[in-house]
Amino acid sequence: METYPPMFLSSSSSPPFMAMNMINSHHHHQATNKVVDDELAGGGFLGLMPSMEAQGALSSSNNTSSAEGASTGHNDFRDKGLAFEAGSEVGEPKAAGRRKGDHHQGYGKAASKGKVRKPRYAFQTRSHVDILDDGYRWRKYGQKAVKNNKFPRSYYRCTFQGCNVKKQVQRLTKDEGVVVTTYEGSHSHPIEKSTDNFEHILSQFQIYTSI
DNA sequence: CGGGTTTGACCCGCGC
DNA sequence: GCGCGGGTCAAACCCG
């Protein structure tokens, strides 16, 4: 059970994203694209990278690669994940009655004010389903069209009290089969779904650690 | 009904 | 200084 693929074995710690279940591969979908009956046609791990494009800025922070993040990833959420939360402290207007035309300030991002930037771990898989079931429950909070890409990018957030883990899913324009998932932060709570077939799923991944 | 999704507005950093 | 591009919010909407 402890047999993880080489990419996770940097320090035998928990990666920010553990236990991905692609059980609902050919499950129903929304309206983005028709889900073809490929189930595990993809399922191949194409790569793992520190971040998509912002890796330059991120690497200068404290982590240079995703492997490092995984190596210290057992409790590092206090460093990065919380840092982000602190940054968005102002931007948490649960009770603040801010409206579009009203006076409001501080949307999470700007509050950081050039401070700590949380690392993001991106990896891409081969699947026709955008949303991979990684065991956690996510709530979609945004979707934006990206320049140079035909497909929009979806923003998700973990729906756990106090858990500020985010992730964004995007498909590549060139290869529709490639789905890039970027994680931010680490979960601090147990997974809700069963992950006993984790190793079984990972065993069929193709890892490319030549980044 | 309640929780997740949709979707347009808004904010902000950055480049021109 | 302005416009663009990316990220977030929240009211409306949808669906079990």
Side-chain angles (χ1 to χ4, degrees), chain A residues 131-181:
Chain A
I131 174 68
L132 303 173
D133 192 355
D134 50 5
Y136 293 98
R137 183 159 245 91
W138 303 90
R139 181 184 69 252
K140 189 176 191 174
Y141 69 89
Q143 172 174 318
K144 286 287 285 188
V146 195
K147 207 65 176 175
N148 290 334
N149 281 26
K150 304 191 305 187
F151 305 109
R153 177 183 303 168
S154 301
Y155 299 91
Y156 298 88
R157 182 174 293 175
C158 184
T159 63
F160 192 87
Q161 202 270 329
C163 187
N164 296 277
V165 177
K166 295 184 240 178
K167 79 170 177 183
Q168 50 185 231
V169 179
Q170 175 187 358
R171 274 184 305 189
L172 297 184
T173 302
K174 205 53 189 285
D175 296 300
E176 182 200 322
V178 177
V179 177
V180 181
T181 307

Side-chain angles (χ1 to χ4, degrees), chain A residues 102-128:
Chain A
D102 226 305
H103 62 290
H104 54 282
Q105 67 201 27
Y107 265 94
K109 194 176 188 176
S112 304
K113 201 163 298 185
K115 294 295 291 215
V116 286
R117 44 174 70 88
K118 60 247 160 286
R120 309 203 288 196
Y121 309 97
F123 66 95
Q124 43 188 73
T125 59
R126 205 140 229 231
S127 171
H128 282 91

Side-chain angles (χ1 to χ4, degrees), chain A residues 24-36 128-131 138-141 143 152 154 156 171:
Chain A
N24 56 355
S25 291
H26 51 347
H27 208 247
H28 66 288
H29 210 230
Q30 315 245 353
T32 331
N33 248 1
K34 50 192 272 185
V35 180
V36 294
H128 282 91
V129 274
D130 295 359
I131 174 68
W138 303 90
R139 181 184 69 252
K140 189 176 191 174
Y141 69 89
Q143 172 174 318
S154 301
Y156 298 88
R171 274 184 305 189

